[in-house]
Amino acid sequence: MNKWFNPYVALAVGVITVSTSAIFVKLAEAPAGVVAFYRLFFSVLFLLPVFLYKYVGELKRIRRRDWLFSVLAGVFLAFHFILWFESLNYTSVASSTVLVTLQPLFAFIGTYLFFQERLSKKAIISGIIAILGSVVISWGDFRISGMALFGDILALMACALVTAYLLFGQDVRKRLSLVTYTFIVYGFSTVTLLFYVLFTGDSFTGYPASDWGWFILLAIFPTLLGHSLFNWAVRYISTNVISMSILFEPIGAAILAYYVLNESVTWSQFLGGSLVMLSVGYFLRENRKKNHTNVLTSD
């Protein structure tokens, strides 16, 4: 556990700021690839002065394996954004947000296969309840036919990709500073998205002034204050914990949608949100107790 700043506090701030993502994307008029590109481009631009001032020397010490994992994490993050933003064009915000936050399904498998992390029965049960709560949140939005189903599939694929991004980060962040790792990953994501936009033939210009505001807000809040805090926290806590915590995102998105987009909160969203909060709170409490016990044992 970091002695200067509690990773769980960083996790909470990250989840709150990430909850703004779907709102900003929905308000922007640009295509998904363009929105994703500028989100990462402005993030890299904002990080550049800090990186050049203090962290550029760290590049000399990066191992070949860390370069490879950082590149893969950047590519996975880029296509996570592409698929998720695109899914919002086919299915509802609630369905897309819920599906893209079902990361425990993939994180539990990934951390077991790659890091041999064992899960207790309590963790598995709380994960299942949280996932059921996420499904209940958008029960009325799930449709099993047509373009909505295509959007749901895109959101699930985006979910798998962001979990892979966090898993690679869990390994690399043990050896790299937050700024260096984040700058490298966001940089490779930006380059990936640049080629994607060129491939699709979408324009980089010609969008209303409001869109540029959304691009910058996407860079500042859900990226630099969201994903970057996840990248910092993953050095101290497992991808499983982060993935479980991100299940709070649909709740935050629903609250913001109520005030910003005038979307009402349904009974299913209230019930599902309550299940998610209870199960994730229980999971985090058990995880902290486990970590505390491990520290006492090691001492």
Side-chain angles (χ1 to χ4, degrees), residues 29-42 82 85-86 193 196-198 200-205 207 211-212 215 218:
E29 297 180 15
V34 175
V35 176
F37 168 77
Y38 280 116
R39 171 176 179 169
L40 272 301
F41 173 77
F42 283 118
I82 292 170
F85 293 177
E86 195 64 41
L193 289 163
Y196 175 82
V197 174
L198 290 173
T200 58
D202 291 324
S203 174
F204 288 98
T205 59
Y207 302 107
D211 270 21
W212 298 97
F215 298 157
L218 278 165

PDB file of all heavy atoms in Angstrom, residues 29-42 82 85-86 193 196-198 200-205 207 211-212 215 218:
ATOM      1  N   GLU A  29     -20.496  15.367 -31.762  1.00  0.00           N
ATOM      2  CA  GLU A  29     -21.078  15.002 -33.052  1.00  0.00           C
ATOM      3  C   GLU A  29     -20.104  14.250 -33.950  1.00  0.00           C
ATOM      4  O   GLU A  29     -20.513  13.646 -34.938  1.00  0.00           O
ATOM      5  CB  GLU A  29     -21.560  16.271 -33.775  1.00  0.00           C
ATOM      6  CG  GLU A  29     -22.669  17.016 -33.047  1.00  0.00           C
ATOM      7  CD  GLU A  29     -23.109  18.270 -33.791  1.00  0.00           C
ATOM      8  OE1 GLU A  29     -22.755  18.389 -34.991  1.00  0.00           O
ATOM      9  OE2 GLU A  29     -23.795  19.116 -33.189  1.00  0.00           O
ATOM     10  N   ALA A  30     -18.819  14.272 -33.643  1.00  0.00           N
ATOM     11  CA  ALA A  30     -17.795  13.649 -34.482  1.00  0.00           C
ATOM     12  C   ALA A  30     -17.913  12.127 -34.446  1.00  0.00           C
ATOM     13  O   ALA A  30     -18.462  11.552 -33.500  1.00  0.00           O
ATOM     14  CB  ALA A  30     -16.408  14.074 -34.007  1.00  0.00           C
ATOM     15  N   PRO A  31     -17.397  11.431 -35.468  1.00  0.00           N
ATOM     16  CA  PRO A  31     -17.410   9.957 -35.490  1.00  0.00           C
ATOM     17  C   PRO A  31     -16.607   9.374 -34.326  1.00  0.00           C
ATOM     18  O   PRO A  31     -15.741  10.057 -33.752  1.00  0.00           O
ATOM     19  CB  PRO A  31     -16.741   9.617 -36.836  1.00  0.00           C
ATOM     20  CG  PRO A  31     -16.894  10.842 -37.660  1.00  0.00           C
ATOM     21  CD  PRO A  31     -16.857  11.993 -36.718  1.00  0.00           C
ATOM     22  N   ALA A  32     -16.873   8.129 -34.010  1.00  0.00           N
ATOM     23  CA  ALA A  32     -16.259   7.479 -32.848  1.00  0.00           C
ATOM     24  C   ALA A  32     -14.737   7.526 -32.894  1.00  0.00           C
ATOM     25  O   ALA A  32     -14.083   7.839 -31.895  1.00  0.00           O
ATOM     26  CB  ALA A  32     -16.735   6.026 -32.762  1.00  0.00           C
ATOM     27  N   GLY A  33     -14.153   7.185 -34.047  1.00  0.00           N
ATOM     28  CA  GLY A  33     -12.699   7.166 -34.165  1.00  0.00           C
ATOM     29  C   GLY A  33     -12.076   8.530 -33.945  1.00  0.00           C
ATOM     30  O   GLY A  33     -11.011   8.647 -33.318  1.00  0.00           O
ATOM     31  N   VAL A  34     -12.729   9.565 -34.436  1.00  0.00           N
ATOM     32  CA  VAL A  34     -12.224  10.932 -34.286  1.00  0.00           C
ATOM     33  C   VAL A  34     -12.303  11.370 -32.824  1.00  0.00           C
ATOM     34  O   VAL A  34     -11.362  11.976 -32.291  1.00  0.00           O
ATOM     35  CB  VAL A  34     -13.016  11.906 -35.186  1.00  0.00           C
ATOM     36  CG1 VAL A  34     -12.571  13.346 -34.937  1.00  0.00           C
ATOM     37  CG2 VAL A  34     -12.830  11.539 -36.652  1.00  0.00           C
ATOM     38  N   VAL A  35     -13.414  11.075 -32.178  1.00  0.00           N
ATOM     39  CA  VAL A  35     -13.561  11.409 -30.748  1.00  0.00           C
ATOM     40  C   VAL A  35     -12.479  10.713 -29.931  1.00  0.00           C
ATOM     41  O   VAL A  35     -11.834  11.332 -29.070  1.00  0.00           O
ATOM     42  CB  VAL A  35     -14.957  11.002 -30.234  1.00  0.00           C
ATOM     43  CG1 VAL A  35     -15.058  11.258 -28.726  1.00  0.00           C
ATOM     44  CG2 VAL A  35     -16.053  11.770 -30.960  1.00  0.00           C
ATOM     45  N   ALA A  36     -12.259   9.430 -30.210  1.00  0.00           N
ATOM     46  CA  ALA A  36     -11.242   8.675 -29.484  1.00  0.00           C
ATOM     47  C   ALA A  36      -9.849   9.246 -29.746  1.00  0.00           C
ATOM     48  O   ALA A  36      -9.028   9.359 -28.824  1.00  0.00           O
ATOM     49  CB  ALA A  36     -11.295   7.206 -29.897  1.00  0.00           C
ATOM     50  N   PHE A  37      -9.568   9.605 -31.013  1.00  0.00           N
ATOM     51  CA  PHE A  37      -8.253  10.151 -31.360  1.00  0.00           C
ATOM     52  C   PHE A  37      -7.971  11.429 -30.582  1.00  0.00           C
ATOM     53  O   PHE A  37      -6.906  11.566 -29.955  1.00  0.00           O
ATOM     54  CB  PHE A  37      -8.163  10.423 -32.866  1.00  0.00           C
ATOM     55  CG  PHE A  37      -6.950  11.248 -33.245  1.00  0.00           C
ATOM     56  CD1 PHE A  37      -5.694  10.665 -33.293  1.00  0.00           C
ATOM     57  CD2 PHE A  37      -7.073  12.609 -33.513  1.00  0.00           C
ATOM     58  CE1 PHE A  37      -4.565  11.421 -33.613  1.00  0.00           C
ATOM     59  CE2 PHE A  37      -5.965  13.371 -33.833  1.00  0.00           C
ATOM     60  CZ  PHE A  37      -4.704  12.772 -33.891  1.00  0.00           C
ATOM     61  N   TYR A  38      -8.898  12.367 -30.619  1.00  0.00           N
ATOM     62  CA  TYR A  38      -8.651  13.639 -29.953  1.00  0.00           C
ATOM     63  C   TYR A  38      -8.641  13.496 -28.434  1.00  0.00           C
ATOM     64  O   TYR A  38      -7.938  14.251 -27.742  1.00  0.00           O
ATOM     65  CB  TYR A  38      -9.673  14.679 -30.408  1.00  0.00           C
ATOM     66  CG  TYR A  38      -9.319  15.286 -31.746  1.00  0.00           C
ATOM     67  CD1 TYR A  38     -10.144  15.113 -32.850  1.00  0.00           C
ATOM     68  CD2 TYR A  38      -8.144  16.009 -31.907  1.00  0.00           C
ATOM     69  CE1 TYR A  38      -9.805  15.653 -34.087  1.00  0.00           C
ATOM     70  CE2 TYR A  38      -7.800  16.554 -33.134  1.00  0.00           C
ATOM     71  CZ  TYR A  38      -8.631  16.373 -34.222  1.00  0.00           C
ATOM     72  OH  TYR A  38      -8.281  16.909 -35.435  1.00  0.00           O
ATOM     73  N   ARG A  39      -9.394  12.542 -27.919  1.00  0.00           N
ATOM     74  CA  ARG A  39      -9.347  12.287 -26.473  1.00  0.00           C
ATOM     75  C   ARG A  39      -7.922  11.916 -26.058  1.00  0.00           C
ATOM     76  O   ARG A  39      -7.387  12.463 -25.085  1.00  0.00           O
ATOM     77  CB  ARG A  39     -10.311  11.155 -26.104  1.00  0.00           C
ATOM     78  CG  ARG A  39     -10.176  10.679 -24.665  1.00  0.00           C
ATOM     79  CD  ARG A  39     -11.218   9.634 -24.329  1.00  0.00           C
ATOM     80  NE  ARG A  39     -11.075   9.155 -22.957  1.00  0.00           N
ATOM     81  CZ  ARG A  39     -11.954   8.409 -22.325  1.00  0.00           C
ATOM     82  NH1 ARG A  39     -13.076   8.054 -22.938  1.00  0.00           N
ATOM     83  NH2 ARG A  39     -11.755   8.013 -21.086  1.00  0.00           N
ATOM     84  N   LEU A  40      -7.275  11.013 -26.796  1.00  0.00           N
ATOM     85  CA  LEU A  40      -5.919  10.591 -26.458  1.00  0.00           C
ATOM     86  C   LEU A  40      -4.889  11.614 -26.885  1.00  0.00           C
ATOM     87  O   LEU A  40      -3.877  11.827 -26.190  1.00  0.00           O
ATOM     88  CB  LEU A  40      -5.624   9.233 -27.114  1.00  0.00           C
ATOM     89  CG  LEU A  40      -6.000   7.957 -26.336  1.00  0.00           C
ATOM     90  CD1 LEU A  40      -5.282   7.914 -25.002  1.00  0.00           C
ATOM     91  CD2 LEU A  40      -7.491   7.848 -26.127  1.00  0.00           C
ATOM     92  N   PHE A  41      -5.124  12.270 -28.010  1.00  0.00           N
ATOM     93  CA  PHE A  41      -4.177  13.273 -28.508  1.00  0.00           C
ATOM     94  C   PHE A  41      -4.011  14.410 -27.499  1.00  0.00           C
ATOM     95  O   PHE A  41      -2.883  14.803 -27.162  1.00  0.00           O
ATOM     96  CB  PHE A  41      -4.658  13.830 -29.854  1.00  0.00           C
ATOM     97  CG  PHE A  41      -3.829  14.979 -30.366  1.00  0.00           C
ATOM     98  CD1 PHE A  41      -2.592  14.753 -30.946  1.00  0.00           C
ATOM     99  CD2 PHE A  41      -4.304  16.287 -30.269  1.00  0.00           C
ATOM    100  CE1 PHE A  41      -1.822  15.823 -31.405  1.00  0.00           C
ATOM    101  CE2 PHE A  41      -3.548  17.353 -30.734  1.00  0.00           C
ATOM    102  CZ  PHE A  41      -2.303  17.116 -31.300  1.00  0.00           C
ATOM    103  N   PHE A  42      -5.117  14.948 -27.006  1.00  0.00           N
ATOM    104  CA  PHE A  42      -5.032  16.031 -26.027  1.00  0.00           C
ATOM    105  C   PHE A  42      -4.464  15.536 -24.697  1.00  0.00           C
ATOM    106  O   PHE A  42      -3.769  16.290 -23.999  1.00  0.00           O
ATOM    107  CB  PHE A  42      -6.407  16.668 -25.819  1.00  0.00           C
ATOM    108  CG  PHE A  42      -6.816  17.601 -26.922  1.00  0.00           C
ATOM    109  CD1 PHE A  42      -7.944  17.353 -27.691  1.00  0.00           C
ATOM    110  CD2 PHE A  42      -6.057  18.726 -27.208  1.00  0.00           C
ATOM    111  CE1 PHE A  42      -8.318  18.211 -28.723  1.00  0.00           C
ATOM    112  CE2 PHE A  42      -6.420  19.600 -28.234  1.00  0.00           C
ATOM    113  CZ  PHE A  42      -7.548  19.336 -28.998  1.00  0.00           C
ATOM    114  N   ILE A  82     -12.599   2.816 -29.622  1.00  0.00           N
ATOM    115  CA  ILE A  82     -13.274   2.755 -30.920  1.00  0.00           C
ATOM    116  C   ILE A  82     -14.549   1.930 -30.830  1.00  0.00           C
ATOM    117  O   ILE A  82     -15.634   2.362 -31.250  1.00  0.00           O
ATOM    118  CB  ILE A  82     -12.341   2.157 -31.998  1.00  0.00           C
ATOM    119  CG1 ILE A  82     -11.185   3.116 -32.299  1.00  0.00           C
ATOM    120  CG2 ILE A  82     -13.122   1.865 -33.285  1.00  0.00           C
ATOM    121  CD1 ILE A  82     -10.106   2.503 -33.163  1.00  0.00           C
ATOM    122  N   PHE A  85     -17.193   3.588 -28.245  1.00  0.00           N
ATOM    123  CA  PHE A  85     -17.836   4.783 -28.803  1.00  0.00           C
ATOM    124  C   PHE A  85     -18.757   4.410 -29.953  1.00  0.00           C
ATOM    125  O   PHE A  85     -19.833   4.990 -30.117  1.00  0.00           O
ATOM    126  CB  PHE A  85     -16.782   5.779 -29.283  1.00  0.00           C
ATOM    127  CG  PHE A  85     -15.958   6.388 -28.176  1.00  0.00           C
ATOM    128  CD1 PHE A  85     -14.918   7.269 -28.462  1.00  0.00           C
ATOM    129  CD2 PHE A  85     -16.202   6.085 -26.845  1.00  0.00           C
ATOM    130  CE1 PHE A  85     -14.158   7.836 -27.454  1.00  0.00           C
ATOM    131  CE2 PHE A  85     -15.443   6.634 -25.829  1.00  0.00           C
ATOM    132  CZ  PHE A  85     -14.420   7.513 -26.132  1.00  0.00           C
ATOM    133  N   GLU A  86     -18.342   3.430 -30.758  1.00  0.00           N
ATOM    134  CA  GLU A  86     -19.167   2.996 -31.885  1.00  0.00           C
ATOM    135  C   GLU A  86     -20.429   2.302 -31.397  1.00  0.00           C
ATOM    136  O   GLU A  86     -21.506   2.445 -31.987  1.00  0.00           O
ATOM    137  CB  GLU A  86     -18.369   2.052 -32.783  1.00  0.00           C
ATOM    138  CG  GLU A  86     -18.981   1.824 -34.151  1.00  0.00           C
ATOM    139  CD  GLU A  86     -19.027   3.086 -34.998  1.00  0.00           C
ATOM    140  OE1 GLU A  86     -18.065   3.859 -34.991  1.00  0.00           O
ATOM    141  OE2 GLU A  86     -20.070   3.289 -35.675  1.00  0.00           O
ATOM    142  N   LEU A 193      -4.933   5.271 -33.273  1.00  0.00           N
ATOM    143  CA  LEU A 193      -6.176   5.938 -33.662  1.00  0.00           C
ATOM    144  C   LEU A 193      -5.980   6.850 -34.869  1.00  0.00           C
ATOM    145  O   LEU A 193      -6.887   7.013 -35.689  1.00  0.00           O
ATOM    146  CB  LEU A 193      -6.717   6.747 -32.478  1.00  0.00           C
ATOM    147  CG  LEU A 193      -7.273   5.889 -31.334  1.00  0.00           C
ATOM    148  CD1 LEU A 193      -7.396   6.704 -30.054  1.00  0.00           C
ATOM    149  CD2 LEU A 193      -8.613   5.288 -31.712  1.00  0.00           C
ATOM    150  N   TYR A 196      -6.199   4.645 -37.766  1.00  0.00           N
ATOM    151  CA  TYR A 196      -7.577   4.172 -37.904  1.00  0.00           C
ATOM    152  C   TYR A 196      -8.440   5.225 -38.594  1.00  0.00           C
ATOM    153  O   TYR A 196      -9.211   4.905 -39.505  1.00  0.00           O
ATOM    154  CB  TYR A 196      -8.156   3.830 -36.532  1.00  0.00           C
ATOM    155  CG  TYR A 196      -9.622   3.441 -36.582  1.00  0.00           C
ATOM    156  CD1 TYR A 196      -9.988   2.146 -36.925  1.00  0.00           C
ATOM    157  CD2 TYR A 196     -10.619   4.376 -36.296  1.00  0.00           C
ATOM    158  CE1 TYR A 196     -11.337   1.782 -36.975  1.00  0.00           C
ATOM    159  CE2 TYR A 196     -11.958   4.014 -36.354  1.00  0.00           C
ATOM    160  CZ  TYR A 196     -12.314   2.720 -36.690  1.00  0.00           C
ATOM    161  OH  TYR A 196     -13.635   2.372 -36.758  1.00  0.00           O
ATOM    162  N   VAL A 197      -8.315   6.487 -38.174  1.00  0.00           N
ATOM    163  CA  VAL A 197      -9.110   7.568 -38.773  1.00  0.00           C
ATOM    164  C   VAL A 197      -8.720   7.760 -40.231  1.00  0.00           C
ATOM    165  O   VAL A 197      -9.579   7.976 -41.097  1.00  0.00           O
ATOM    166  CB  VAL A 197      -8.930   8.875 -37.976  1.00  0.00           C
ATOM    167  CG1 VAL A 197      -9.649  10.029 -38.679  1.00  0.00           C
ATOM    168  CG2 VAL A 197      -9.481   8.720 -36.562  1.00  0.00           C
ATOM    169  N   LEU A 198      -7.412   7.678 -40.534  1.00  0.00           N
ATOM    170  CA  LEU A 198      -6.964   7.789 -41.920  1.00  0.00           C
ATOM    171  C   LEU A 198      -7.536   6.645 -42.759  1.00  0.00           C
ATOM    172  O   LEU A 198      -7.934   6.843 -43.915  1.00  0.00           O
ATOM    173  CB  LEU A 198      -5.430   7.769 -41.986  1.00  0.00           C
ATOM    174  CG  LEU A 198      -4.719   9.008 -41.430  1.00  0.00           C
ATOM    175  CD1 LEU A 198      -3.215   8.771 -41.398  1.00  0.00           C
ATOM    176  CD2 LEU A 198      -5.057  10.236 -42.261  1.00  0.00           C
ATOM    177  N   THR A 200     -10.344   4.943 -42.192  1.00  0.00           N
ATOM    178  CA  THR A 200     -11.801   5.083 -42.373  1.00  0.00           C
ATOM    179  C   THR A 200     -12.153   6.274 -43.258  1.00  0.00           C
ATOM    180  O   THR A 200     -13.282   6.365 -43.752  1.00  0.00           O
ATOM    181  CB  THR A 200     -12.503   5.248 -41.014  1.00  0.00           C
ATOM    182  OG1 THR A 200     -11.972   6.401 -40.342  1.00  0.00           O
ATOM    183  CG2 THR A 200     -12.309   4.007 -40.147  1.00  0.00           C
ATOM    184  N   GLY A 201     -11.213   7.184 -43.438  1.00  0.00           N
ATOM    185  CA  GLY A 201     -11.479   8.343 -44.282  1.00  0.00           C
ATOM    186  C   GLY A 201     -12.230   9.469 -43.599  1.00  0.00           C
ATOM    187  O   GLY A 201     -12.676  10.415 -44.264  1.00  0.00           O
ATOM    188  N   ASP A 202     -12.386   9.388 -42.283  1.00  0.00           N
ATOM    189  CA  ASP A 202     -13.059  10.464 -41.555  1.00  0.00           C
ATOM    190  C   ASP A 202     -12.175  11.707 -41.502  1.00  0.00           C
ATOM    191  O   ASP A 202     -10.946  11.619 -41.546  1.00  0.00           O
ATOM    192  CB  ASP A 202     -13.399  10.016 -40.130  1.00  0.00           C
ATOM    193  CG  ASP A 202     -14.485   8.956 -40.098  1.00  0.00           C
ATOM    194  OD1 ASP A 202     -15.407   9.036 -40.932  1.00  0.00           O
ATOM    195  OD2 ASP A 202     -14.412   8.042 -39.251  1.00  0.00           O
ATOM    196  N   SER A 203     -12.787  12.862 -41.365  1.00  0.00           N
ATOM    197  CA  SER A 203     -12.058  14.125 -41.333  1.00  0.00           C
ATOM    198  C   SER A 203     -11.612  14.458 -39.912  1.00  0.00           C
ATOM    199  O   SER A 203     -12.312  14.161 -38.941  1.00  0.00           O
ATOM    200  CB  SER A 203     -12.932  15.250 -41.877  1.00  0.00           C
ATOM    201  OG  SER A 203     -12.285  16.496 -41.735  1.00  0.00           O
ATOM    202  N   PHE A 204     -10.449  15.084 -39.800  1.00  0.00           N
ATOM    203  CA  PHE A 204      -9.954  15.535 -38.504  1.00  0.00           C
ATOM    204  C   PHE A 204     -10.467  16.931 -38.160  1.00  0.00           C
ATOM    205  O   PHE A 204     -10.285  17.397 -37.039  1.00  0.00           O
ATOM    206  CB  PHE A 204      -8.422  15.546 -38.499  1.00  0.00           C
ATOM    207  CG  PHE A 204      -7.801  14.182 -38.469  1.00  0.00           C
ATOM    208  CD1 PHE A 204      -7.353  13.591 -39.637  1.00  0.00           C
ATOM    209  CD2 PHE A 204      -7.655  13.482 -37.286  1.00  0.00           C
ATOM    210  CE1 PHE A 204      -6.773  12.337 -39.626  1.00  0.00           C
ATOM    211  CE2 PHE A 204      -7.074  12.225 -37.251  1.00  0.00           C
ATOM    212  CZ  PHE A 204      -6.637  11.643 -38.427  1.00  0.00           C
ATOM    213  N   THR A 205     -11.091  17.595 -39.106  1.00  0.00           N
ATOM    214  CA  THR A 205     -11.557  18.963 -38.890  1.00  0.00           C
ATOM    215  C   THR A 205     -13.016  19.103 -39.341  1.00  0.00           C
ATOM    216  O   THR A 205     -13.614  18.145 -39.834  1.00  0.00           O
ATOM    217  CB  THR A 205     -10.693  19.963 -39.676  1.00  0.00           C
ATOM    218  OG1 THR A 205     -10.759  19.637 -41.077  1.00  0.00           O
ATOM    219  CG2 THR A 205      -9.247  19.919 -39.211  1.00  0.00           C
ATOM    220  N   TYR A 207     -15.637  20.164 -37.361  1.00  0.00           N
ATOM    221  CA  TYR A 207     -16.623  19.858 -36.329  1.00  0.00           C
ATOM    222  C   TYR A 207     -16.978  21.126 -35.556  1.00  0.00           C
ATOM    223  O   TYR A 207     -16.182  22.063 -35.486  1.00  0.00           O
ATOM    224  CB  TYR A 207     -16.085  18.769 -35.393  1.00  0.00           C
ATOM    225  CG  TYR A 207     -15.731  17.503 -36.146  1.00  0.00           C
ATOM    226  CD1 TYR A 207     -14.405  17.151 -36.356  1.00  0.00           C
ATOM    227  CD2 TYR A 207     -16.734  16.691 -36.682  1.00  0.00           C
ATOM    228  CE1 TYR A 207     -14.079  16.000 -37.071  1.00  0.00           C
ATOM    229  CE2 TYR A 207     -16.418  15.547 -37.404  1.00  0.00           C
ATOM    230  CZ  TYR A 207     -15.089  15.217 -37.598  1.00  0.00           C
ATOM    231  OH  TYR A 207     -14.784  14.098 -38.318  1.00  0.00           O
ATOM    232  N   ASP A 211     -17.692  20.471 -29.969  1.00  0.00           N
ATOM    233  CA  ASP A 211     -17.003  19.189 -30.012  1.00  0.00           C
ATOM    234  C   ASP A 211     -15.583  19.295 -29.464  1.00  0.00           C
ATOM    235  O   ASP A 211     -15.109  18.393 -28.759  1.00  0.00           O
ATOM    236  CB  ASP A 211     -16.959  18.649 -31.448  1.00  0.00           C
ATOM    237  CG  ASP A 211     -18.163  17.782 -31.766  1.00  0.00           C
ATOM    238  OD1 ASP A 211     -19.184  17.909 -31.065  1.00  0.00           O
ATOM    239  OD2 ASP A 211     -18.089  16.970 -32.715  1.00  0.00           O
ATOM    240  N   TRP A 212     -14.893  20.390 -29.790  1.00  0.00           N
ATOM    241  CA  TRP A 212     -13.528  20.559 -29.300  1.00  0.00           C
ATOM    242  C   TRP A 212     -13.526  20.696 -27.784  1.00  0.00           C
ATOM    243  O   TRP A 212     -12.583  20.242 -27.109  1.00  0.00           O
ATOM    244  CB  TRP A 212     -12.876  21.767 -29.970  1.00  0.00           C
ATOM    245  CG  TRP A 212     -12.777  21.575 -31.452  1.00  0.00           C
ATOM    246  CD1 TRP A 212     -13.634  22.041 -32.409  1.00  0.00           C
ATOM    247  CD2 TRP A 212     -11.789  20.801 -32.148  1.00  0.00           C
ATOM    248  NE1 TRP A 212     -13.237  21.609 -33.660  1.00  0.00           N
ATOM    249  CE2 TRP A 212     -12.114  20.857 -33.538  1.00  0.00           C
ATOM    250  CE3 TRP A 212     -10.668  20.079 -31.751  1.00  0.00           C
ATOM    251  CZ2 TRP A 212     -11.358  20.215 -34.503  1.00  0.00           C
ATOM    252  CZ3 TRP A 212      -9.901  19.432 -32.712  1.00  0.00           C
ATOM    253  CH2 TRP A 212     -10.246  19.504 -34.069  1.00  0.00           C
ATOM    254  N   PHE A 215     -13.872  17.129 -26.577  1.00  0.00           N
ATOM    255  CA  PHE A 215     -12.595  16.418 -26.739  1.00  0.00           C
ATOM    256  C   PHE A 215     -11.659  16.717 -25.568  1.00  0.00           C
ATOM    257  O   PHE A 215     -11.035  15.806 -24.993  1.00  0.00           O
ATOM    258  CB  PHE A 215     -11.890  16.823 -28.043  1.00  0.00           C
ATOM    259  CG  PHE A 215     -12.650  16.508 -29.298  1.00  0.00           C
ATOM    260  CD1 PHE A 215     -12.392  17.207 -30.469  1.00  0.00           C
ATOM    261  CD2 PHE A 215     -13.621  15.516 -29.317  1.00  0.00           C
ATOM    262  CE1 PHE A 215     -13.082  16.928 -31.642  1.00  0.00           C
ATOM    263  CE2 PHE A 215     -14.334  15.226 -30.477  1.00  0.00           C
ATOM    264  CZ  PHE A 215     -14.056  15.936 -31.639  1.00  0.00           C
ATOM    265  N   LEU A 218     -12.934  15.219 -22.324  1.00  0.00           N
ATOM    266  CA  LEU A 218     -12.671  13.778 -22.330  1.00  0.00           C
ATOM    267  C   LEU A 218     -11.218  13.484 -21.960  1.00  0.00           C
ATOM    268  O   LEU A 218     -10.923  12.504 -21.270  1.00  0.00           O
ATOM    269  CB  LEU A 218     -12.983  13.183 -23.704  1.00  0.00           C
ATOM    270  CG  LEU A 218     -14.442  12.863 -23.998  1.00  0.00           C
ATOM    271  CD1 LEU A 218     -14.653  12.624 -25.486  1.00  0.00           C
ATOM    272  CD2 LEU A 218     -14.890  11.634 -23.203  1.00  0.00           C
TER     273      LEU A 218
END
